Amino acid sequence: MAAGAQEVVDDQLVVNGEIPIVTEAPAPDYASALGTIRSGWTFRSEDTQMMQADDFDNPGMLGVEAARAAFNSEMGTGGESCASCHDDPESLSTVRGTYPKWDEEHGTVQTVEMQVQECQTERMGMEEPYGYNSTDMINMVALLSSVARGTPVNVAIDGPAEATWKQGEEMYYTRYGQLELSCANCHEDNYDNMIRADHLSQGQINAFPAYRLKDAALVSVQNRFRGCIRDTMGETFAVGSPEFVALELYVASRGNGLSVEGPSVRN
Amino acid sequence: GTTFATATAFAETAPKDVAFDEYGEVAESLTGTAGDPESGAALMDRGKGNCIACHQVSDLSELPFQGDIGPSLDGAAGRWSEAQLRGIVVNAKNTFPDTMMPSFYHTGPYIRPGDGFTGKAPEGELPPILTAQAVEDVVAYLMTLTDEQN
């Protein structure tokens, strides 16, 4: 219904006047129904768009600053900080665009959150790593996103990740809940249309974590998924569940070619 | 109140017993009680039918933020008979295969149904989204939409 009919936003997102962000790109083959993939940024009002163009105006950057301090703080039993092994967050700038990613050692697809938990439990001796959806974790992911801004989303979907990707694809087209709505009903068939007061985007995740003005907080990818399934009058999956990891890989791949953009600002 | 609902319940057609013809029409009233267009109009809003999440209705222009997922319902009564409209509201998937429009007088089976908008699993069996009389009220309201306004 919406394909081809969208108004083209001609203004470009350049963060801090120096990091150009690709907000529109040709759709990968497996998402050809979209024609052009578009960041959620292109669907937002000009005021909201502007807030993301300058770090001083982006409230999500407060979380990034908190995580930068945490990155350099000792945690766990070995007296180490993230910086003990990773120098600075900038050294991890290839992470955000390539995750979720197959982890050979654990034989599973890992999200950024799972990778951070892995370092905390297996390398830093933390019995209680950051909770998957905790503020500390969301801030850390925001930090890893911020240092990756402008790099391409480029998740691998073949090889050992393929089965997980396929699971995510199937979920994307499943009509959940009493309203029987799939992700595709809203974000593939109807992007650019209005559902009540909401201007539907393509539901891309290149821009996560997102600072939601409505919640006055940074929101993780999977928490957004949870909200969308709840809105189908459905029983959601848990944040951090294997199902949501699979869905995250699939949805991330639909944005292959956009830039990493988080932390973003959304209404 | 509840007493009233229980007293009328036995006369209603249950969701599983609704008879559709081959085009998805439902000829018989679900309750035998004429629908009230005024309550029907109220049901078009948020939290009930929430029809205007997806449809524009010029007659309800005082309700802000009408969606445009489905066609405008202006003039619906000119395009469809009462039986057709009842069929569409009860379970639009019989009229429009694979449509995105939810089935309002239906009890599944669903994939991962939730307890309303809580995101949690329901405790018991789920009632249909609209009661039988609410469907009749909505249909009665749709039957007043005779004008093509835009």
Side-chain angles (χ1 to χ4, degrees):
Chain A
M1 198 175 278
Q6 66 263 30
E7 50 176 357
V8 175
V9 177
D10 43 21
D11 28 354
Q12 264 295 313
L13 175 56
V14 180
V15 177
N16 300 331
E18 57 183 30
I19 311 172
I21 302 287
V22 175
T23 56
E24 294 193 26
D29 295 347
Y30 46 82
S32 57
L34 297 174
T36 298
I37 48 175
R38 290 168 59 191
S39 158
W41 184 84
T42 66
F43 295 85
R44 304 282 62 97
S45 73
E46 211 179 312
D47 288 351
T48 310
Q49 288 184 336
M50 294 284 285
M51 288 178 81
Q52 206 186 309
D54 190 323
D55 283 353
F56 286 108
D57 298 329
N58 182 342
M61 290 309 288
L62 293 173
V64 169
E65 290 318 316
R68 210 174 260 282
F71 196 91
N72 293 306
S73 309
E74 288 178 15
M75 41 180 119
T77 50
E80 285 174 310
S81 70
C82 313
S84 312
C85 299
H86 295 294
D87 292 340
D88 55 15
E90 282 69 18
S91 71
L92 293 168
S93 66
T94 58
V95 171
R96 179 60 175 83
T98 53
Y99 275 65
K101 188 181 187 175
W102 178 258
D103 182 280
E104 199 54 54
E105 193 192 333
H106 295 87
T108 187
V109 169
Q110 280 191 332
T111 59
V112 177
E113 286 89 341
M114 290 160 79
Q115 174 66 61
V116 170
Q117 287 180 335
E118 176 194 314
C119 285
Q120 291 183 324
T121 56
E122 296 175 22
R123 304 201 173 87
M124 305 175 89
M126 280 170 80
E127 263 172 46
E128 296 236 353
Y130 287 172
Y132 199 103
N133 200 42
S134 65
T135 303
D136 285 339
M137 182 64 89
I138 296 172
N139 289 345
M140 188 59 76
V141 178
L143 171 62
L144 295 171
S145 298
S146 75
V147 297
R149 283 181 298 181
T151 67
V153 177
N154 184 20
V155 297
I157 66 171
D158 51 3
E162 191 178 347
T164 307
W165 182 83
K166 285 235 160 82
Q167 181 191 354
E169 179 186 40
E170 195 186 319
M171 289 178 71
Y172 196 84
Y173 291 97
T174 298
R175 299 186 63 164
Y176 290 113
Q178 207 179 359
L179 295 177
E180 296 176 289
L181 295 171
S182 68
C183 315
N185 282 140
C186 286
H187 294 298
E188 180 170 291
D189 303 336
N190 281 292
Y191 67 85
D192 242 343
N193 287 336
M194 299 298 291
I195 186 158
R196 200 77 200 234
D198 288 313
H199 187 197
L200 282 170
S201 74
Q202 294 180 349
Q204 297 283 0
I205 57 174
N206 60 307
F208 276 77
Y211 186 89
R212 283 195 81 187
L213 298 166
K214 194 177 127 193
D215 303 332
L218 277 170
V219 175
S220 67
V221 171
Q222 294 191 12
N223 204 34
R224 177 79 236 195
F225 292 172
R226 190 161 67 174
C228 282
I229 293 193
R230 182 199 58 216
D231 287 348
T232 69
M233 298 178 78
E235 179 192 356
T236 64
F237 298 90
V239 169
S241 63
E243 290 88 352
F244 269 174
V245 172
L247 186 61
E248 182 174 337
L249 174 62
Y250 176 71
V251 179
S253 79
R254 293 170 66 94
N256 273 354
L258 296 173
S259 297
V260 172
E261 199 189 295
S264 62
V265 184
R266 296 289 186 264
N267 49 336
Chain B
T2 4
T3 341
F4 178 74
T6 327
T8 53
F10 69 92
E12 289 176 8
T13 307
K16 290 191 162 46
D17 299 331
V18 178
F20 297 91
D21 82 353
E22 61 180 305
Y23 303 107
E25 298 178 21
V26 176
E28 281 209 31
S29 164
L30 302 177
T31 62
T33 305
D36 168 18
E38 244 175 78
S39 344
L43 287 162
M44 304 289 286
D45 196 8
R46 195 186 299 276
K48 296 164 187 152
N50 206 4
C51 316
I52 63 169
C54 294
H55 293 285
Q56 289 178 359
V57 184
S58 304
D59 181 53
L60 299 174
S61 58
E62 76 279 6
L63 300 176
F65 305 121
Q66 305 189 355
D68 56 10
I69 306 267
S72 161
L73 297 182
D74 292 355
R79 292 189 293 278
W80 306 95
S81 68
E82 183 184 297
Q84 287 173 320
L85 289 172
R86 186 178 291 109
I88 292 171
V89 178
V90 166
N91 188 350
K93 288 164 189 95
N94 292 320
T95 306
F96 313 110
D98 300 325
T99 185
M100 178 172 167
M101 180 159 154
S103 306
F104 287 96
Y105 194 64
H106 183 66
T107 48
Y110 299 114
I111 301 169
R112 295 183 77 85
D115 180 6
F117 290 97
T118 63
K120 301 202 169 79
E123 304 266 310
E125 233 171 83
L126 282 174
I129 300 171
L130 294 178
T131 64
Q133 194 56 45
V135 171
E136 293 304 321
D137 294 348
V138 167
V139 171
Y141 175 68
L142 294 175
M143 287 303 289
T144 70
L145 301 178
T146 49
D147 294 346
E148 289 287 351
Q149 306 217 13
N150 40 34

